[in-house]
Amino acid sequence: MDVKIEESWRQQVGEEFDKQYFVSLTHFVREEYLRHQCFPPGRLIFNAFNLCPFEQVKVVIIGQDPYHEMGQAMGLSFSVPQGVMMPPSLINIFKEIEGDIGTPMPADGDLTRWARQGVLLLNATLTVRAHMAGSHQRRGWEEFTDAAIKALSARRDHLVFILWGGYARSKRMLIDPRKHLVLESVHPSPLSANRGGWFGNHHFSCCNAYLEQNGIAPIQW
């Protein structure tokens, strides 16, 4: 695994690469990609960071694991490439956007356009073995992505952290609520969303209102 990460992020979290946990993680991921089909493609493992430099981050949306089926994972939480069928969670995200701010459902689920506007689409675990959800959890990725969240909380101001579901909400302890807006709700997956608490959470309008109040250009969701 070649650690090719955008330079501003290297300055913020580069010290992690020399720690023993990351050395062990690198060995594990290399072996997994050699022996098994894994996602996302190696060049996209750090895609969330490479599309969204540290100083350009406005919003952080925390996911848990990359998609584990063929052609879905692209290194951005919740996103799938153009031409790939949208997963149910992403459909529910777009439904809430339409209900909240009126933006109609897009033709595809590629969220690169969000990333380029300053939305860090960060999965806590950055790789996965094909067809095996959670297979690369607790190997060190979470320590690395926690370090990224802590760096943003400590060294930036007026960010919006969006935490959907119990796992993402557990990351609240890493974020300083005096400096940032933290939005929480149930997960957009049908199992959670249909129980209530997802539709009508107004996270997208709340996010943009907070950004504008602090003189920051809103996101074109």
Side-chain angles (χ1 to χ4, degrees), residues 153-168:
S153 177
R155 298 167 198 156
R156 295 289 312 280
D157 294 306
H158 308 307
L159 300 181
V160 182
F161 289 86
I162 298 180
L163 313 179
W164 296 329
Y167 183 81

Side-chain angles (χ1 to χ4, degrees), residues 107-129:
D108 63 71
D110 186 345
L111 303 182
T112 300
R113 60 192 177 83
W114 290 7
R116 293 193 189 284
Q117 293 179 74
V119 182
L120 182 68
L121 295 158
L122 182 65
N123 279 318
T125 301
L126 298 187
T127 57
V128 70
R129 193 189 295 184

Side-chain angles (χ1 to χ4, degrees), residues 32-180:
E32 283 285 292
Y33 273 72
L34 281 171
R35 296 168 184 240
H36 307 282
Q37 185 173 40
C38 295
F39 303 125
R43 62 188 169 78
L44 296 179
I45 290 173
F46 292 103
N47 199 24
F49 299 98
N50 294 337
L51 287 173
C52 193
F54 185 82
E55 294 298 337
Q56 293 178 24
V57 175
K58 301 176 182 180
V59 182
V60 183
I61 298 180
I62 298 175
Q64 186 165 1
D65 223 30
Y67 295 123
H68 56 269
E69 298 301 335
M70 178 67 71
Q72 293 181 309
M74 55 183 297
L76 304 175
S77 61
F78 296 101
S79 181
V80 292
Q82 292 183 19
V84 174
M85 184 183 299
M86 290 188 215
S89 293
L90 186 54
I91 291 172
N92 281 342
I93 289 169
F94 287 136
K95 283 180 178 177
E96 174 57 22
I97 289 172
E98 185 165 16
D100 186 13
I101 59 177
T103 302
M105 180 86 65
D108 63 71
D110 186 345
L111 303 182
T112 300
R113 60 192 177 83
W114 290 7
R116 293 193 189 284
Q117 293 179 74
V119 182
L120 182 68
L121 295 158
L122 182 65
N123 279 318
T125 301
L126 298 187
T127 57
V128 70
R129 193 189 295 184
H131 321 304
M132 293 180 62
S135 50
H136 289 186
Q137 290 177 7
R138 294 178 292 281
R139 292 288 187 162
W141 277 130
E142 296 92 338
E143 190 168 343
F144 175 74
T145 52
D146 280 0
I149 295 166
K150 287 187 233 180
L152 286 166
S153 177
R155 298 167 198 156
R156 295 289 312 280
D157 294 306
H158 308 307
L159 300 181
V160 182
F161 289 86
I162 298 180
L163 313 179
W164 296 329
Y167 183 81
R169 293 168 89 167
S170 73
K171 303 297 182 180
R172 184 178 185 125
M173 58 183 278
L174 307 175
I175 303 160
D176 185 347
R178 298 165 299 180
K179 297 174 62 182
H180 308 287

